[in-house]
Amino acid sequence: QVQLVESGGGLVQAGGSLRLSCAAFGSTFSIRAMAWYRQAPGKQRELVAGITSGGTTNYADSVKGRFTISRDNAKNTVYLQMNTLKPEDTAVYYCLASRYGLDYWGQGTQVTVSS
């Protein structure tokens, strides 16, 4: 089992920045991909950014150039640096970890961007 604990969400004005963190606990050995998803009210959960254990990253088109995902394997922690935030980035952000074909989710952290 893997437990994920997210932190760093909050309220920010448009144009501002936030940094989300997701720490993994438990059976963290062989966690491969980690990712951030988000879900806005009335919308489906969508991938924001992902990173493999080797450091390969991918981003949703809507956040390219504004968000950066990074990972500290020694700390079993993944980060999402969010810059130039827009009101449409408002959502609950969830962390995901994949291990041996199973996906584990965090509880989510709210990000609200005011205009």
Side-chain angles (χ1 to χ4, degrees):
Q1 288 286 344
V2 176
Q3 294 81 43
L4 301 172
V5 179
E6 299 130 333
S7 60
L11 174 64
V12 64
Q13 288 188 332
S17 299
L18 284 174
R19 187 193 194 208
L20 305 183
S21 300
C22 171
F25 300 91
S27 300
T28 58
F29 179 72
S30 292
I31 287 178
R32 301 195 65 171
M34 298 189 76
W36 287 96
Y37 282 73
R38 67 186 181 187
Q39 188 167 19
K43 295 187 177 181
Q44 290 188 329
R45 192 172 296 190
E46 63 175 358
L47 174 68
V48 176
I51 185 168
T52 68
S53 57
T56 301
T57 60
N58 64 291
Y59 296 91
D61 287 342
S62 60
V63 306
K64 283 180 180 176
R66 301 188 297 123
F67 292 8
T68 302
I69 189 171
S70 60
R71 180 172 176 172
D72 186 334
N73 289 329
K75 295 182 178 180
N76 295 309
T77 299
V78 64
Y79 305 95
L80 185 68
Q81 178 65 44
M82 305 185 293
N83 298 328
T84 318
L85 282 160
K86 303 176 180 180
E88 52 263 43
D89 294 318
T90 295
V92 177
Y93 284 70
Y94 296 92
C95 178
L96 169 95
S98 294
R99 178 178 180 270
Y100 294 133
L102 295 178
D103 290 339
Y104 299 88
W105 293 91
Q107 80 284 356
T109 185
Q110 177 71 45
V111 171
T112 303
V113 185
S114 63
S115 57

